[in-house]
Amino acid sequence: MSIKAVAAKILARHSHKQTQKWANSPVVTQEKVFQSLLHQAKNTQFGKEHHFSKIKTFEDFAKQVPVRDYEQLKSYVAKVVAGESDILWKGKPLYFAKTSGTTSGVKYIPLTAASMPFHIKAAKNAILSYIHETGKSDFVDGKMIFLQGSPEMEEKNGIKLGRLSGIVAHFVPKYLQKNRLPSWKTNCIEDWETKVDAIVAETFHQNMTVISGIPSWVQMYFEKLKTKSNLPVGELFKNFNLFIYGGVNYEPYRAKFEQLIGRKVDSIELFPASEGFFAYQDSQTEKGMLLLLNSGIFYEFIKVEDFFTENPKRLTISEVEINVNYVLIISTNAGLWAYNIGDTIAFTSTNPYRIIVTGRIKHFISAFGEHVIGKEVENALQSVILGTNISVNEFTVAPQINPKSGLPYHEWFIEFDSEPEDLDAFALKIDFEMRQQNGYYDDLIKGSVLRTLVITKVVKNGFQEYMKSIGKLGGQNKLPRLSNDRKIADFFTM
């Protein structure tokens, strides 16, 4: 075992002890974060307008600070973007993470001197947690690849801006620089397909031990590797044993990945976003990701079914329950206050607090009152293909409200790698699983409001072509699992 691998184990042990301290005192930890955030921001414009100096309790905060999304916070962000100081957080941000919004156009999410270190620390601690639990550290001697956005920056009123993954690339510690791929030059390639080809060329003969990225885009990389080598990825990279991912649920991709790799590899799930790094998988045996309660973020939770009511109850960490879908609300040391990031989560454990991401509050189907969410469609598909030779590359679901004949239905657009012999029987099995999970959907089928779902096959690379057509191929961009309209569906049916 190398000196670096031994040092990684020592560091992992120290990291675990530090994590246990706050994880064992979750409510106290969150209260400290809450009070610290209010104290540091009380003299900002936002803090003064919302009377931070007078807020003593969470109840006070909830009365003074309404839940907002980006559009509702935009007037404050615009001042920060214009170069003004002390608006949402003291001073000016270090960076803006530039993302594309559906209603707000380009979104500028501030990253401050206070918040940026937590993005880096969380990613590091996720790997250290894995090392501590498994005792595996030899991978630190091999090459590691992180499929991410370009690290090149623009500048706006003296503040640098770029994609979050590109910004993070500037903070890779020196001891990992020699192990890290792709090269800076390749990482700066904007066209995603050209970039992946360059990454394949750079990594083909390397000792790759860790590969990280959003599953859909890593899949493209794996497919190109397999085509070039005519070997499973796990045979080409004999020491590749750890896949790190985030952004989407891995389960719909797992069977395809194991086929491409040729064997099973360990995986670590992350929950990063431009607004903060919220959780990481801290166990290979327990379900869910550890919610990071000591990372400069104060969390609130609103039950999904209550979210669109007039005054939904806002809950703190001490009030949540297991297996309930919540909208995640955050206040952060980057100056986001009672901010709705759009993600929904459920707790798998409260000792410690572990979560799974269940979908997006804006990504659902309820054209007939069925309230279908992302987790349900992913679970249904996964249940049906488990133990079969059926392999799915990608899929999305949309309602068909006005069919040419017959009852309305949910239309599943699926790109198969290996398709079922009987597509109609396959559709009925998925439909059965959906009805088991969602009582509203079941009632609509029983009541002849909806017919059973319909599958429309998508040609190979069809979803890549769709993402390219909207300028979102690669990087941090993700295909919505489901939508309440037919904007995506129309691309495949026109």
Side-chain angles (χ1 to χ4, degrees):
M1 186 176 291
S2 70
I3 294 174
K4 186 185 285 189
V6 171
K9 285 191 173 185
I10 295 170
L11 190 59
R13 188 159 54 246
H14 174 73
S15 174
H16 177 72
K17 288 180 180 178
Q18 295 300 113
T19 299
Q20 291 303 108
K21 286 181 182 179
W22 61 257
N24 289 332
S25 303
V27 176
V28 172
T29 297
Q30 275 284 274
E31 179 63 22
K32 286 180 179 178
V33 170
F34 175 68
Q35 295 296 342
S36 175
L37 291 174
L38 291 175
H39 176 73
Q40 292 183 77
K42 65 182 179 181
N43 292 321
T44 63
Q45 179 186 332
F46 191 94
K48 290 175 181 177
E49 290 179 359
H50 293 81
H51 310 293
F52 278 14
S53 61
K54 296 180 180 179
I55 293 175
K56 304 299 181 186
T57 66
F58 169 66
E59 288 71 24
D60 294 339
F61 179 78
K63 289 176 184 176
Q64 294 291 343
V65 185
V67 171
R68 293 176 168 96
D69 58 18
Y70 185 85
E71 192 66 29
Q72 294 163 318
L73 202 66
K74 198 173 181 179
S75 61
Y76 291 98
V77 176
K79 292 182 179 182
V80 183
V81 173
E84 294 186 40
S85 297
D86 303 318
I87 303 300
L88 288 165
W89 190 255
K90 54 189 179 182
K92 296 181 180 182
L94 288 179
Y95 301 95
F96 289 116
K98 185 178 177 182
T99 67
S100 55
T102 53
T103 58
S104 304
V106 175
K107 295 164 65 176
Y108 297 95
I109 306 298
L111 296 166
T112 64
S115 71
M116 196 66 225
F118 286 109
H119 284 269
I120 310 309
K121 185 179 180 181
K124 180 182 73 174
N125 285 347
I127 296 175
L128 292 175
S129 178
Y130 170 80
I131 292 172
H132 178 78
E133 182 192 20
T134 65
K136 299 174 183 177
S137 63
D138 287 342
F139 64 84
V140 301
D141 295 315
K143 297 290 187 180
M144 306 177 188
I145 187 171
F146 301 90
L147 294 183
Q148 57 194 187
S150 170
E152 289 188 313
M153 300 282 182
E154 302 172 54
E155 196 166 291
K156 204 171 185 69
N157 296 315
I159 301 173
K160 292 182 178 178
L161 61 97
R163 298 185 185 95
L164 175 66
S165 60
I167 293 170
V168 170
H170 290 263
F171 290 84
V172 175
K174 288 183 179 179
Y175 64 85
L176 280 182
Q177 290 288 3
K178 290 183 179 179
N179 299 69
R180 182 179 178 276
L181 288 170
S183 66
W184 190 267
K185 181 181 178 182
T186 293
N187 227 3
C188 290
I189 297 173
E190 284 291 342
D191 181 76
W192 187 251
E193 290 173 296
T194 305
K195 183 173 185 170
V196 174
D197 287 337
I199 291 172
V200 168
E202 281 192 358
T203 59
F204 193 74
H205 297 292
Q206 298 289 342
N207 176 30
M208 303 303 303
T209 57
V210 178
I211 295 172
S212 175
I214 292 176
S216 50
W217 307 126
V218 175
Q219 180 175 315
M220 183 193 295
Y221 168 59
F222 282 174
E223 287 171 341
K224 288 178 179 289
L225 282 170
K226 192 171 182 181
T227 299
K228 182 178 174 68
S229 66
N230 203 28
L231 292 171
V233 174
E235 193 171 331
L236 177 65
F237 299 144
K238 297 184 184 300
N239 295 316
F240 166 47
N241 283 299
L242 182 59
F243 173 51
I244 303 173
Y245 68 95
V248 298
N249 184 5
Y250 180 40
E251 290 310 313
Y253 299 93
R254 189 180 293 276
K256 177 64 176 179
F257 267 56
E258 289 177 0
Q259 176 192 334
L260 288 167
I261 297 167
R263 54 183 168 82
K264 293 185 178 181
V265 298
D266 287 348
S267 60
I268 302 174
E269 183 176 8
L270 311 177
F271 185 12
S274 300
E275 295 87 352
F277 202 125
F278 307 122
Y280 61 73
Q281 182 182 345
D282 68 322
S283 173
Q284 293 292 301
T285 57
E286 300 295 328
K287 186 179 181 182
M289 296 174 283
L290 183 69
L291 185 63
L292 303 181
L293 303 175
N294 194 35
S295 295
I297 302 170
F298 177 73
Y299 298 96
E300 301 176 50
F301 311 91
I302 299 175
K303 290 183 179 179
V304 168
E305 63 262 32
D306 297 339
F307 185 72
F308 293 107
T309 61
E310 189 173 344
N311 289 300
K313 184 170 176 55
R314 294 159 65 174
L315 307 173
T316 62
I317 194 70
S318 64
E319 301 171 285
V320 298
E321 304 170 66
I322 293 173
N323 297 328
V324 174
N325 277 318
Y326 295 103
V327 180
L328 186 63
I329 309 298
I330 59 169
S331 296
T332 79
N333 53 8
L336 301 175
W337 301 102
Y339 185 83
N340 170 24
I341 65 168
D343 287 313
T344 60
I345 59 99
F347 285 87
T348 60
S349 164
T350 54
N351 185 25
Y353 285 90
R354 291 195 181 100
I355 63 170
I356 56 171
V357 180
T358 56
R360 299 276 296 167
I361 193 63
K362 291 182 179 179
H363 292 168
F364 60 89
I365 297 178
S366 199
F368 305 91
E370 58 270 49
H371 308 295
V372 171
I373 61 173
K375 182 170 72 80
E376 291 170 345
V377 297
E378 290 180 334
N379 286 350
L381 181 61
Q382 185 64 22
S383 296
V384 174
I385 66 175
L386 191 65
T388 73
N389 293 323
I390 300 166
S391 179
V392 170
N393 281 334
E394 194 60 276
F395 77 100
T396 193
V397 186
Q400 176 51 274
I401 299 172
N402 298 305
K404 292 180 180 178
S405 63
L407 293 172
Y409 53 86
H410 285 186
E411 189 168 10
W412 288 54
F413 295 84
I414 303 179
E415 181 184 326
F416 291 100
D417 185 55
S418 176
E419 62 183 75
E421 292 181 5
D422 187 334
L423 197 63
D424 291 335
F426 182 69
L428 285 173
K429 288 178 181 178
I430 297 175
D431 201 78
F432 175 80
E433 291 294 333
M434 285 298 304
R435 295 174 68 176
Q436 296 301 300
Q437 291 184 86
N438 189 306
Y440 299 111
Y441 181 71
D442 186 45
D443 288 342
L444 290 167
I445 298 291
K446 287 178 179 175
S448 297
V449 176
L450 293 177
R451 59 161 290 189
T452 55
L453 66 86
V454 173
I455 293 175
T456 296
K457 290 192 291 184
V458 174
V459 298
K460 186 171 177 58
N461 299 323
F463 285 107
Q464 288 182 24
E465 290 302 315
Y466 166 73
M467 295 298 279
K468 186 190 295 186
S469 75
I470 60 171
K472 291 189 175 183
L473 183 67
Q476 294 169 252
N477 298 308
K478 295 156 285 190
L479 175 77
R481 277 285 173 250
L482 70 179
S483 42
N484 207 36
D485 55 43
R486 293 195 51 92
K487 290 178 182 177
I488 300 174
D490 287 345
F491 179 85
F492 298 106
T493 55
M494 288 177 65

